[in-house]
Amino acid sequence: MKLIGPFKQIVTLAGLPLRGKLSDEQLQVITDGGIVVNDGKIQNIGNFEALKSENQNIETETIEGEQIVLPGFVDAHTHICFGGNRANDFAMRNAGKTYLEIAESGGGIWSSVQHTRNASEEELLTTLLERIGFLVSLGITTIEIKSGYGLDVENELKMLRIIKKAQDQTKAKLVPTCLSAHLKPRDFEGSNTEYLNYILTEILPKVKEEGLAKRVDIFIEKSAFQPKESKDFLLKTKDLGFDITVHADQFTPGSSRIAVEVGAKSADHLEATIDEDIEFLAQSDTVATALPGASLGLGEKFTPARKLLDAGAIVAIASDWNPGSAPMGNLITQASILATFEKLTTAEVLAGMTFRAAYALGLEDIGKLESGKKADFVTFKTDNFQNVLYNQGSLNAEHVYIDGTQIH
């Protein structure tokens, strides 16, 4: 057992509701605080001197200078296991080329599939660990990672096995998701429905047998999979015992409603969501996950986060870090920009990157600093927690703790 502190401010996020809008006045901020950690969990939080006097023989880890502390961030949607680079896609897109023109010239998702298939396991693991290290340096202690650049049995399993190997080499919690339904690969001879059946019969049983993922995702869009075949696939996936999530409403509306109807944990993207579907989402337990990195990378409008929160939805914010549409990877910068355009309070942004994002992943022991929760938190060298978002990602994390141990 040890006492860590003193911190100028501890922003606990305790007592905040799971859904709907939040005011900054609802934030619990403990000044001159300390955190008592025991066996990787938070035992107590309060005034540092009071905690020290109550536990006179406790080991103390002294924090030098003025620092604030927040719960460890959760990035609930990433594609950071990949090979290759799509900088040319970005340049072509900014020069006015269409998605189809980029794909026909050798770019797009299929380009990443080819690079990932051709990459060695060692190369994929090395680059994955580098990206995980970057996210941890930002204060992100839980990271969802998708497959989806393999698109056949051999290569989807290769990706998921590499994610599993990465978990053995990082203290961050990794949450693998099988996204074999990213799009139908060009070398698959058959229809979309036949490919989805291939996933159900050839890929997912092996994923389950090896314990490689408990979650399955699908991209519902005109360029990927259509609504009816996607809904059938998701229901069958649930029958196999997987949690489900959906790439929904990125360019066209309607698929977020499917996500709610099948009981998906989250509907991610939502840039094209219409008002009537916002209400439908808000009345469900499906998390609406905004991905501002994709909006910035593609020059598209942002997820209507303000409308979703006002309607009472559960809104998370994730990076969508991927080699094509969202290459930045800096969740704090993206969330800060989203806040500016969607007029989100600091409380709403912090909740969206912590306990609300954790809920999208089915995790209940992280995201708030309170007794019994996992001792995952991040500190910043400042006397005011508002500076984290105010600096839009340029205020670097000072220290990152996982299970009460400083790892960065």
Side-chain angles (χ1 to χ4, degrees), residues 198-264:
Y198 168 78
I199 296 172
L200 289 164
T201 58
E202 301 297 327
I203 298 179
L204 292 184
K206 293 181 176 65
V207 170
K208 192 169 187 178
E209 181 183 342
E210 293 188 35
L212 297 174
K214 296 179 181 178
R215 294 161 41 86
V216 171
D217 196 351
I218 187 171
F219 184 21
I220 306 178
E221 192 51 69
K222 287 180 179 178
S223 61
F225 297 100
Q226 307 314 304
K228 185 182 184 305
E229 64 195 9
S230 299
K231 186 173 183 178
D232 291 343
F233 170 79
L234 288 167
L235 291 172
K236 289 173 183 175
T237 300
K238 278 188 78 174
D239 288 342
L240 291 175
F242 290 94
D243 288 337
I244 53 176
T245 183
V246 178
H247 278 61
D249 295 1
Q250 183 175 9
F251 303 113
T252 52
S255 47
S256 61
R257 184 172 284 265
I258 292 172
V260 171
E261 289 171 347
V262 300

Side-chain angles (χ1 to χ4, degrees), residues 173-400:
K173 180 175 180 60
L174 308 183
V175 181
T177 301
C178 180
L179 178 59
S180 300
H182 203 174
L183 81 169
K184 182 172 74 71
R186 292 183 182 180
D187 57 2
F188 182 85
E189 296 181 1
S191 65
N192 275 3
T193 299
E194 287 171 326
Y195 176 64
L196 293 175
N197 285 334
Y198 168 78
I199 296 172
L200 289 164
T201 58
E202 301 297 327
I203 298 179
L204 292 184
K206 293 181 176 65
V207 170
K208 192 169 187 178
E209 181 183 342
E210 293 188 35
L212 297 174
K214 296 179 181 178
R215 294 161 41 86
V216 171
D217 196 351
I218 187 171
F219 184 21
I220 306 178
E221 192 51 69
K222 287 180 179 178
S223 61
F225 297 100
Q226 307 314 304
K228 185 182 184 305
E229 64 195 9
S230 299
K231 186 173 183 178
D232 291 343
F233 170 79
L234 288 167
L235 291 172
K236 289 173 183 175
T237 300
K238 278 188 78 174
D239 288 342
L240 291 175
F242 290 94
D243 288 337
I244 53 176
T245 183
V246 178
H247 278 61
D249 295 1
Q250 183 175 9
F251 303 113
T252 52
S255 47
S256 61
R257 184 172 284 265
I258 292 172
V260 171
E261 289 171 347
V262 300
K265 289 287 186 183
S266 68
D268 303 8
H269 274 295
L270 309 176
E271 295 91 337
T273 302
I274 57 178
D275 287 350
E276 63 190 68
D277 289 345
I278 287 174
E279 293 296 330
F280 200 66
L281 272 165
Q283 293 169 24
S284 77
D285 291 329
T286 297
V287 178
T289 302
L291 305 176
S295 299
L296 294 168
L298 295 173
E300 300 283 346
K301 63 183 179 180
F302 290 99
T303 302
R306 180 73 271 149
K307 284 185 175 182
L308 284 158
L309 287 162
D310 288 346
I314 310 168
V315 175
I317 306 170
S319 74
D320 192 24
W321 189 359
N322 72 72
S325 61
M328 179 199 297
N330 193 321
L331 175 60
I332 291 82
T333 295
Q334 296 172 18
S336 302
I337 293 170
L338 178 70
T340 301
F341 279 87
E342 283 295 307
K343 297 296 177 278
L344 307 182
T345 67
T346 299
E348 288 166 342
V349 174
L350 294 178
M353 296 190 295
T354 54
F355 68 93
R356 288 177 170 178
Y359 183 80
L361 300 179
L363 302 174
E364 298 181 356
D365 63 341
I366 57 172
K368 293 184 178 183
L369 299 179
E370 55 189 8
S371 180
K373 299 283 189 187
K374 202 166 174 280
D376 292 359
F377 48 89
V378 54
T379 78
F380 291 87
K381 206 167 189 178
T382 178
D383 63 355
N384 177 7
F385 72 92
Q386 293 174 319
N387 283 327
V388 176
L389 298 184
Y390 168 67
N391 282 278
Q392 296 181 315
S394 63
L395 179 64
N396 296 324
E398 186 70 11
H399 297 303
V400 180

Side-chain angles (χ1 to χ4, degrees), residues 2-78:
K2 66 180 174 182
L3 170 63
I4 307 172
F7 295 104
K8 185 68 175 177
Q9 297 175 327
I10 300 176
V11 185
T12 68
L13 304 189
L16 294 181
L18 180 61
R19 62 177 65 246
K21 58 187 178 181
L22 299 169
S23 70
D24 289 347
E25 288 72 29
Q26 291 174 267
L27 289 171
Q28 180 190 71
V29 182
I30 298 172
T31 56
D32 302 316
I35 302 174
V36 177
V37 175
N38 188 20
D39 195 25
K41 295 186 180 297
I42 297 170
Q43 181 163 309
N44 203 356
I45 297 182
N47 178 268
F48 179 78
E49 293 300 330
L51 289 171
K52 196 171 182 179
S53 64
E54 291 168 12
N55 305 272
Q56 294 188 6
N57 296 321
I58 194 171
E59 174 192 351
T60 301
E61 184 176 326
T62 303
I63 299 297
E64 302 292 343
E66 292 187 330
Q67 295 187 43
I68 66 96
V69 62
L70 295 165
F73 299 126
V74 177
D75 195 340
H77 184 127
T78 83

